[in-house]
Amino acid sequence: MASLNLASALVPVTGAASGIGLAICRQLRLEGGTPLLLDFDRQRLDAALGEVFGTSVAEAQRFGYLVDVRDSKAVDACLAQIRQDHGLITHAVANAGRSLAAHILDMTDEQWHGVMDVNLHGMLYFCRAAARQLAEAKRGSLVTMASIAGLMAKESRVGYAASKAAVVNMTRALALDLGPFGVRVNAVAPGVIDTPLQTNPSYQEPVKQRAALRRVGNADEIASVVLFLLSDMSSYMTGETLVVDGGLTARYL
């Protein structure tokens, strides 16, 4: 029977200092794997390292990398440094993202490019850099973070919806490119999750009324699905997007 089998996993995770990214790293550590925390915020990164590894920040520093995913050269340099520090990665999680609520009549160029630079371009830069190592190793699993916004639409979410829809199809295309190397690529599409990006009660309450489970999700529930996709439990899955939304998108009205 297949198992998670993540005890020897070496897994860079972007957006790892809070929310879903931090939950993924905590669960990987509990499974005996080695999460590598990538984030652009030094203060939050240091706090996350101490939490995940249960040691002083100084002792955990070698597992943390300060990087802005919007900078392709910085991402390439970060993955090269990871290889030098730890060897070839075995898995990767492209989690970093940002939200945007802006009606099309009011949305600025800066807002559009801001969300695309992280959710689409940053996603590509990290996946490309990680894929080079996974393809060389001829094994592994890459997980991207999509959203139900990439599958369905909502008012004032033009930029965010477009960016996440791109992630869904990018995931399929990556799966086709990397399948011949034995590398799997899948996405997770969360619904409304109680994270720093979605704490507004006025946003959560309507979700609680519409979702089949009558509640929002939590970061650990998304992290568990990510670990499933990283693991041998999903060994014949690739190019898929798993919706984890408590039944929010099960309704048509």
Side-chain angles (χ1 to χ4, degrees), residues 10 12 36 65 79-90 133:
L10 182 67
L36 302 174
Y65 295 84
L79 269 292
Q81 187 63 53
I82 286 172
R83 179 170 185 172
Q84 181 176 323
D85 294 343
H86 301 280
L88 279 177
I89 63 173
T90 62
Q133 292 193 34

Side-chain angles (χ1 to χ4, degrees), residues 118-228:
V118 177
N119 293 1
L120 181 55
H121 302 149
M123 178 74 67
L124 171 68
Y125 300 152
F126 175 74
C127 287
R128 181 177 61 188
R132 288 167 177 158
Q133 292 193 34
L134 296 173
E136 182 178 341
K138 291 185 169 52
R139 65 187 179 96
S141 172
L142 170 60
V143 178
T144 63
M145 195 59 63
S147 166
I148 58 171
L151 304 170
M152 304 181 72
K154 187 178 184 295
E155 296 88 345
S156 299
R157 291 294 191 276
V158 173
Y160 185 70
S163 71
K164 290 301 186 178
V167 171
V168 170
N169 222 30
M170 181 192 295
T171 299
R172 295 188 184 105
L174 287 168
L176 294 175
D177 279 358
L178 296 176
F181 296 93
V183 178
R184 299 182 298 107
V185 189
N186 293 286
V188 177
V192 177
I193 307 301
D194 191 11
T195 69
L197 289 178
Q198 298 178 334
T199 56
N200 190 337
S202 66
Y203 187 61
Q204 291 191 5
E205 285 306 316
V207 173
K208 294 177 183 179
Q209 298 302 315
R210 290 186 59 81
L213 295 181
R214 297 296 192 270
R215 65 177 178 85
V216 299
N218 63 63
D220 282 325
E221 290 174 309
I222 304 303
S224 294
V225 177
V226 171
L227 261 66
F228 165 72

Side-chain angles (χ1 to χ4, degrees), residues 1-186:
M1 180 180 293
S3 64
L4 288 180
N5 193 27
L6 294 171
S8 61
L10 182 67
V11 193
V13 179
T14 63
S18 65
I20 293 171
L22 179 55
I24 293 167
C25 293
R26 284 197 304 258
Q27 290 196 21
L28 278 168
R29 190 63 179 157
L30 288 174
E31 290 294 329
T34 303
L36 302 174
L37 283 67
L38 279 59
D39 207 278
F40 72 98
D41 186 312
R42 169 54 71 186
Q43 186 173 357
R44 291 194 310 177
L45 180 58
D46 286 347
L49 285 166
E51 179 179 340
V52 170
F53 290 96
T55 62
S56 69
V57 173
E59 292 175 336
Q61 281 286 356
R62 68 192 186 95
F63 302 108
Y65 295 84
L66 194 67
V67 63
D68 187 337
V69 296
R70 297 172 296 181
D71 184 337
S72 64
K73 291 183 179 178
V75 172
D76 286 345
C78 178
L79 269 292
Q81 187 63 53
I82 286 172
R83 179 170 185 172
Q84 181 176 323
D85 294 343
H86 301 280
L88 279 177
I89 63 173
T90 62
H91 307 71
V93 181
N95 168 73
R98 63 171 296 182
S99 185
L100 172 65
H103 193 280
I104 187 60
L105 299 181
D106 304 312
M107 187 173 61
T108 66
D109 290 352
E110 288 75 16
Q111 288 175 315
W112 171 264
H113 289 294
V115 73
M116 287 295 173
D117 282 347
V118 177
N119 293 1
L120 181 55
H121 302 149
M123 178 74 67
L124 171 68
Y125 300 152
F126 175 74
C127 287
R128 181 177 61 188
R132 288 167 177 158
Q133 292 193 34
L134 296 173
E136 182 178 341
K138 291 185 169 52
R139 65 187 179 96
S141 172
L142 170 60
V143 178
T144 63
M145 195 59 63
S147 166
I148 58 171
L151 304 170
M152 304 181 72
K154 187 178 184 295
E155 296 88 345
S156 299
R157 291 294 191 276
V158 173
Y160 185 70
S163 71
K164 290 301 186 178
V167 171
V168 170
N169 222 30
M170 181 192 295
T171 299
R172 295 188 184 105
L174 287 168
L176 294 175
D177 279 358
L178 296 176
F181 296 93
V183 178
R184 299 182 298 107
V185 189
N186 293 286

Side-chain angles (χ1 to χ4, degrees), residues 218-251:
N218 63 63
D220 282 325
E221 290 174 309
I222 304 303
S224 294
V225 177
V226 171
L227 261 66
F228 165 72
L229 291 174
L230 290 174
S231 78
D232 292 345
M233 294 287 285
S234 58
S235 59
Y236 199 54
M237 286 182 63
T238 196
E240 294 299 322
T241 297
L242 292 187
V243 174
V244 189
D245 70 349
L248 181 60
T249 57
R251 297 180 184 271

